Each structure stands twice: as structure tokens, then as C-alpha cells.
Amino acid sequence: MWLRWLAVFSLAQSLMLPVLQAAESLEGVAAKGGDNAGETESPKAPDRSPRVPTFPVQGDLAGQLAVYESSYEDTFAAIGNRLALGYLELVKANPGVDPWLPGEGTTITLPRQYVLPDARREGIVINLAEYRLYYFTGAGVQVYPVGVGTSENPSPLTDAKVTMPLESPAWYPPASIRAEYEASGDYLPRMIPAGPGNPLGSHALMLSKEGYLIHGTNKQFGVGMPVSHGCFRMYNEDISRFVYQVEKGTPVQIVHDAVKIGLSEGEVWLEVHRPHEEYPREDRDRLWQQVFSEVEAFRASNPGVEVKRATIELAVDQADGIPTMIGERVTQMAADETVDEKASEPESRPEQQLYF
């Protein structure tokens, strides 16, 4: 846990809550010449609309894939920052493309289709396994990339609530982090004020889980990766709008769901996430075992569902975080058959030849 400065800092920030709006400088500039001389423009309101789409929820599925044509100076880090996508999700969705030099005119897949995590569909759900934050609204769901904790400093699996929005937060690094800097020969002051050098970025949401925040960052590379001391990093361009959508008391569920499976309009969808850019054999074997267990449990709880083993194997082999249709719910065509007729044809369908 870190950021224990919050206990001291929260009181000062709470005095700012009724406002929580940046003071906007008047941009009225006297127009020159003609009938407009002496007039000024009205102050421009800040854009607080979500930077990502709000997708309708269709069963257990939301969103749709899109494509982007890169220019010669693009990198995946720059594309992600511009389009509100994480670095790793772009890498996994675009095998064979150089993330640092995709090249002029390269078609980049934008992974904006999702099997929803196994969690309550309310408020904020953060899935550590895919480095994504889901925000459920009355109109659907918004999905943002987030940086999460490392294996040495993992983010907690917990239920929490939003307790306070913060604007231009200062950072009071805990003793443990100051000791890390000191051990490496660097000096870290007891307080870092708001500004470009502040690792909390421009805005933050304080959580009821003590010491943890959803916040911006001064390091754009790292959003959508395991990079933090346990908190959740968003692009400043995202968090600076997001804090004005989220109310105090909004529930926050933090889960780890690397294998997501669900139904949408009778179709069965599977989404598999490897944890890193590399995909060693031990990760593949572990994911295969998890997929096997979850598909079996899903079939047991959804009678009439059939899935194709070959498609499942391909999804595990790629583990690219893109939903794959692996089967469907079979329509019951023999509702008028008698018990005797059913008993006389016990082998009406091939037994497990193509199915998992």
C-alpha cells in the first residue's frame, strides 16, 4: 500500500469538493474591425464528455472492433494515448506489427469489443488481467485502459467505493517509496506539488480501500500495463473528464479475470488474455487449464450450449484479448417428440467429435 498521505491531504481537498472545477481563464479577445469591434467571445466550457464510446450491452458482449491507418511517425504508445487504448492491448491485437515503427499506411486493429468481466454490472469494474476499467452507466458501458500494480506491488482484489474526487492533487510519497529512491541514489522530497512532475497527474478518484487511487500520470507510457505500486493509472485526458462523471459512493470492484466467456444473442464468446507481451509455454499451459475449467462450468450452467474445440484452441494459442465466437446455443427442435421416440434415438448427434 502506498499514498498514505491521503489521510492528511483529504481534508484540504474536501474543502474544494463543492467546486471541483478548474477555473477557466476568459478567452474573450476583442475582434478587430467592422461591426464586431469591441465584442468578446463567451468563455469556452471545458469538454467533459467521455473520451471513449459508450457501448450498449448485448448479453455478455459490448463494443465492436475498429481499424486505424497509421502514419509514418506513429507508435503504439502514441496511438494508444490519442485513442484511449493501452499499449499492451494494441500489441496483442496486432501480432507481427512493430509497435515502435508500424509504418505508413499500416492497418491497426483497435480492440474495442469486449466480453464483460464476471462481476456486478454497476459502477466501476477494474479487471487486472486485461488492464481495463469498465464504467457501467444507464446507457451502456465505457472502457478505459489502466495501469495496474506490478507483481512486487500488486493491486488489491477487493470491493470498494469512490470516496472523493481530487483536482490537481499533491503527492506525499510514503517512506517505503522514498527508501527505494534513496537506495538507487536518488532523492525524493516529502511532498511533490501539482504539476508536470507529479506522478498523480491532473485528477484522481480516492477509494475507500485505504491508500489506493484511480489517478492520472506524468508518464503516458505505462497506461494499460503492470507498472504501478498498486494504484490505477489513467491517461490525464481520460481522468480529467472521468472524475466529473463518477459520483461519490460509486461502487468499485477489482477482479482478475483472464478468461471471460459469455452469451450474446445465442452465440458463445470467449476472450483470453495473456499477462505480458511475451507468451511463454507456462503461461499458455496455465491459460489452457483455466479455459478448460471455465468452459466446462459454463456448459454445465447453460444447457444446450455447444462449443468447437478447434476454435477454443486457437483462442488460447493467440490469447490476444479479442473476443472469439466459439459456439452457440442449439435450438431445441424436437419439443413434440415422445419419451419413447427420444429413448429410441440416444445417439442423434455425434458425440464430442468437434466439440470441447
Side-chain angles (χ1 to χ4, degrees):
M1 288 211 239
W2 65 301
L3 301 175
R4 296 190 180 277
W5 53 272
L6 293 174
V8 178
F9 187 61
S10 61
L11 178 59
Q13 288 289 341
S14 66
L15 301 177
M16 300 170 58
L17 275 184
V19 209
L20 217 186
Q21 297 173 348
E24 295 293 323
S25 59
L26 294 179
E27 295 180 349
V29 179
K32 297 182 179 179
D35 295 336
N36 293 328
E39 292 184 4
T40 59
E41 295 182 2
S42 299
K44 186 178 180 180
D47 185 358
R48 290 176 179 164
S49 60
R51 208 164 68 105
V52 299
T54 300
F55 291 114
V57 175
Q58 300 174 320
D60 297 320
L61 199 68
Q64 58 186 14
L65 297 180
V67 295
Y68 172 86
E69 188 173 299
S70 63
S71 56
Y72 74 95
E73 74 275 12
D74 272 331
T75 65
F76 278 11
I79 293 171
N81 190 17
R82 188 181 312 132
L83 302 180
L85 291 162
Y87 173 79
L88 277 181
E89 64 179 328
L90 283 171
V91 169
K92 291 187 287 187
N94 293 276
V97 179
D98 185 343
W100 298 107
L101 193 65
E104 178 77 25
T106 301
T107 299
I108 307 298
T109 298
L110 305 181
R112 281 202 166 117
Q113 187 179 34
Y114 318 97
V115 176
L116 298 177
D118 185 13
R120 300 186 311 276
R121 294 176 188 175
E122 59 176 342
I124 295 170
V125 176
I126 298 174
N127 186 5
L128 303 180
E130 57 180 317
Y131 314 118
R132 286 173 179 155
L133 179 152
Y134 293 79
Y135 179 54
F136 291 92
T137 73
V141 63
Q142 300 167 18
V143 186
Y144 297 89
V146 289
V148 305
T150 64
S151 56
E152 295 80 16
N153 298 281
S155 300
L157 296 172
T158 187
D159 274 13
K161 291 183 178 181
V162 172
T163 59
M164 185 182 298
L166 305 174
E167 182 180 294
S168 300
W171 183 38
Y172 292 77
S176 59
I177 295 182
R178 294 203 310 272
E180 287 181 20
Y181 275 71
E182 185 176 349
S184 63
D186 296 325
Y187 169 74
L188 190 63
R190 292 183 176 271
M191 189 276 284
I192 296 180
N198 190 314
L200 301 185
S202 63
H203 296 74
L205 291 170
M206 188 187 299
L207 304 183
S208 58
K209 179 67 175 178
E210 184 182 358
Y212 291 94
L213 296 173
I214 301 169
H215 61 80
T217 179
N218 63 343
K219 297 178 180 178
Q220 302 293 0
F221 185 71
V223 173
M225 300 174 66
V227 291
S228 77
H229 280 78
C231 283
F232 309 100
R233 298 183 186 177
M234 297 179 70
Y235 292 121
N236 286 333
E237 294 85 349
D238 291 340
I239 189 68
S240 62
R241 303 181 186 200
F242 189 54
V243 293
Y244 298 102
Q245 298 182 67
V246 180
E247 297 181 356
K248 180 180 178 180
T250 296
V252 179
Q253 302 166 74
I254 305 171
V255 301
H256 190 284
D257 197 2
V259 176
K260 300 185 296 178
I261 184 170
L263 274 169
S264 179
E265 298 181 346
E267 298 171 340
V268 184
W269 291 82
L270 174 68
E271 183 178 326
V272 183
H273 288 267
R274 63 182 188 265
H276 306 292
E277 187 171 349
E278 301 79 18
Y279 196 23
R281 171 58 61 182
E282 55 268 26
D283 285 351
R284 193 183 309 268
D285 291 343
R286 176 179 51 79
L287 279 174
W288 174 250
Q289 293 299 322
Q290 187 176 349
V291 167
F292 178 86
S293 175
E294 297 204 17
V295 168
E296 284 297 295
F298 184 83
R299 292 181 66 203
S301 61
N302 292 273
V305 161
E306 291 184 346
V307 293
K308 293 185 178 180
R309 182 184 180 95
T311 309
I312 294 173
E313 289 176 345
L314 181 61
V316 176
D317 187 58
Q318 295 174 338
D320 55 11
I322 294 179
T324 301
M325 195 184 82
I326 61 169
E328 59 186 341
R329 174 176 281 158
V330 178
T331 303
Q332 300 299 315
M333 300 294 292
D336 59 345
E337 289 182 348
T338 65
V339 174
D340 290 340
E341 287 173 334
K342 290 181 181 179
S344 66
E345 295 181 340
E347 301 293 336
S348 59
R349 241 185 5 247
E351 184 73 22
Q352 301 291 332
Q353 288 184 346
L354 295 177
Y355 298 96
F356 188 77

